[in-house]
Amino acid sequence: MWQLFREFLQFLRQEKKWWLIPLVLMLLVLAALIVFSGGSVLAPLMYPFM
Amino acid sequence: MRHILGISAYYHDSAAALLVDGRIAAAAQEERFSRKKNDERFPRHAVAFCLRHAGLQESDLDAVVFYDKPIIKFARLLESYLAVAPGGWLTFPRVVPPWLGEKLNLRGTLRYEMPGLRPETPVLFTEHHQSHAASAFFPSPFEQAAILTVDGVGEWATTTIGVGRANEVEILKELKFPHSLGLLYSAFTAYCGFRINSGEYKLMGLAPYGEPRFVDTIYEHLIAVKDDGSLRLNLDYFEFLRSLRMTNARFDRLFGGPPRPPETPVEQRHMDVARSIQTVTEQAMLRLARHARAVTGQTNLCLAGGVALNCVANGLILREKIFDRIWIQPAAGDAGGALGAALAVWHMRRESPQPRTPMLPDAMQGAFLGPEFSDAEIEAVLRQHNAVYEKLDRESLLDRVVGLLADEKIVGWVQGRMEFGPRALGHRSILGDPRSPRMQSVLNLKVKFRESFRPFAPAVLRERAPEFFELDADSPYMLLVAPVHPSQRLDVAAGAHGLDRLKQLRSRVPAVTHVDFSARVQTVTAEQNPSFHAVLSRFEAKTGCPVLVNTSFNVRGEPVVCTPDDAYRCFVNTEMDALAIGSFLLDRNAQPNQGVKQKFHPVPD
């Protein structure tokens, strides 16, 4: 996972696409919410907002 | 680094390919084992086969290479959604979660799927079009060549022009998503009621029945094609960025109605649409080829990517003599990306101890890179099914098969290693007599259970191909369409339209002559394909005709058969007359009526 993180940062630096960071962070937070909520109750409610 | 495994997966046509000391030891698509057509899942069966074939285990691998770069692809996905926001909200929840799971952390996913890999074995990634380009150039017979790759989309690239020299492939120019010839063709495939990523052949086969009356409409509203072949899509007519549909209502209005629902009758309008987009595709491919020639200065061309399976366009590039010679990767679609990824690492990371020496006729070994089965294994399966069979020596088997073919019988022919790529090339084939006027409809309706309009391809002895087809090049992988030679043609009454043209006799080999007098030719040599060459030679000796109908051994919605079990199940569930498998010959009428079911997951196409 750390290798993926490093490669992602490397990609952002190379391509100068730092603006992707907030988008990815938001996705990670949503993913975490879905995972920690068990993936059944919250997910359908949140889909329309994604 | 002796053992390199290439993998393509998670989109469509997943596959594995294994290099041992730079030589292609094995390659196969997952669909052949899982029995799910265009299977996109991790190719665990294909990987297992490749390793078994080479006598290796996962721990023996020195590198695993995936055929595209997930981080770049993921970024493209996010950028695309951002560009069309709030459009795309319907597909976003379906598309993105798999990325946060298995697709983005692909290194972890591959290690999970292959737990036997050593921790120090690197998992590498090549760019999608770099994989295609490597699959096109490195196995080719050329010292150096221009390389043209065209498909739907990889990471960002949809079309690339490059050059291959020695151990290097260099991409010189690329066209980026969403502007894509492959996606354009796929959009029309979906509009005409066929499945994307598999129905493109049908659209190509349907085209000759139509008139190109929408060509101007396409140029006026949908695309702008420059002289160099690059194109821009007018996204006002396409939906693929926003929804699961390819096209929208505005697109429908241009072509006189809504998309054709699958399995409904094909109308003249659909044929005209097919002909028009095929014409536009051919014109774009010609421009791309000319530009590739101008940019690289090379005299040879290598082709790959899904659009390189458009053998009509390939034949046109050949006939226009833009290049002296053309070589097309037989697994030009994404499955071939697995091979290209492995080859790219072997050659370009300097794992090869010496400079690349092109092999003749090429390094693909006839594309016979899949599993094969011994007579003992075949007989065990036949016994399990209580099959009635005869075991024959080689000469008797050939005589009997040729006798059946000459009597207009349809024979399943399963010999040697399975083909890699979408075409059956004489190892997992159904054969018939091309001179028979009824052969095409019988094969389509009673054996393959598919649409009557679909043409069949001829396999012809290489040395006699020029007598039957206007083709002065090798076409071992059935990827070039050529006109039937005028000396073989018959006069056809004018006035017939659409599917009525199907009933007209138009050549001495009517079963393999399409309505526009074209044929998707496979040239066969003893050197590359000895067992199939032997059948053709024997058929020629008996009938004077060096041509056979060669179609893949499967029914509609089924992957091409792989094992003797697949072959027997398919054989007894169709009206095929006989099956020649290994040294065994089976008469369908003699088989016990015991309701043997086919084992595959039908996929609508």
Side-chain angles (χ1 to χ4, degrees), chain B residues 556-574:
Chain B
R556 189 178 184 185
E558 180 190 16
V560 179
V561 300
C562 174
T563 63
D565 185 61
D566 302 333
Y568 185 77
R569 288 174 190 276
C570 184
F571 169 60
V572 293
N573 281 290
T574 67

Side-chain angles (χ1 to χ4, degrees), chain B residues 393-410:
Chain B
D393 62 53
R394 202 71 194 153
E395 293 302 306
S396 308
L397 184 75
L398 285 171
D399 281 338
R400 292 278 294 278
V401 165
V402 163
L404 289 164
L405 291 169
D407 288 340
E408 289 190 77
K409 303 292 187 205
I410 296 168

Side-chain angles (χ1 to χ4, degrees), chain B residues 320-506:
Chain B
E320 288 287 313
K321 299 191 186 302
I322 301 166
F323 288 90
D324 294 349
R325 289 190 296 165
I326 296 178
W327 191 83
I328 307 155
Q329 163 58 239
D334 274 12
L339 177 60
L343 286 167
V345 166
W346 172 256
H347 287 284
M348 295 169 72
R349 279 174 58 115
R350 301 280 183 268
E351 301 300 342
S352 170
Q354 51 205 358
R356 165 182 174 267
T357 311
M359 289 172 68
L360 292 174
D362 61 42
M364 288 299 293
Q365 302 157 52
F368 303 120
L369 300 165
E372 68 178 326
F373 299 88
S374 67
D375 275 351
E377 289 170 307
I378 295 168
E379 191 164 20
V381 171
L382 296 179
R383 282 200 176 134
Q384 274 172 19
H385 285 293
N386 298 316
V388 177
Y389 58 88
E390 291 175 78
K391 188 171 186 184
L392 301 168
D393 62 53
R394 202 71 194 153
E395 293 302 306
S396 308
L397 184 75
L398 285 171
D399 281 338
R400 292 278 294 278
V401 165
V402 163
L404 289 164
L405 291 169
D407 288 340
E408 289 190 77
K409 303 292 187 205
I410 296 168
V411 181
W413 180 253
V414 178
Q415 306 288 331
R417 294 185 72 178
M418 183 181 71
E419 297 86 345
F420 180 50
R423 303 270 78 91
L425 300 168
H427 283 200
R428 298 290 185 278
S429 291
I430 298 172
L431 309 178
D433 186 344
R435 301 166 304 164
S436 164
R438 66 181 194 95
M439 189 57 67
Q440 187 192 10
S441 68
V442 173
L443 270 172
N444 264 335
L445 302 176
K446 295 188 175 176
V447 177
K448 304 274 285 188
F449 306 121
R450 65 184 203 182
E451 303 91 331
S452 62
F453 69 82
R454 295 181 64 181
F456 286 102
V460 58
L461 291 175
R462 173 67 186 98
E463 58 273 22
R464 291 199 59 192
E467 291 171 45
F468 283 80
F469 308 101
E470 293 184 284
L471 178 71
D472 58 0
D474 292 325
S475 179
Y477 303 122
M478 214 184 258
L479 285 170
L480 291 169
V481 162
V484 170
H485 197 279
S487 65
Q488 302 295 330
R489 297 186 192 183
L490 304 174
D491 289 332
V492 178
H497 291 287
L499 295 179
D500 290 340
R501 295 162 72 191
L502 194 59
K503 296 165 192 151
Q504 296 176 309
L505 268 193
R506 57 193 66 247

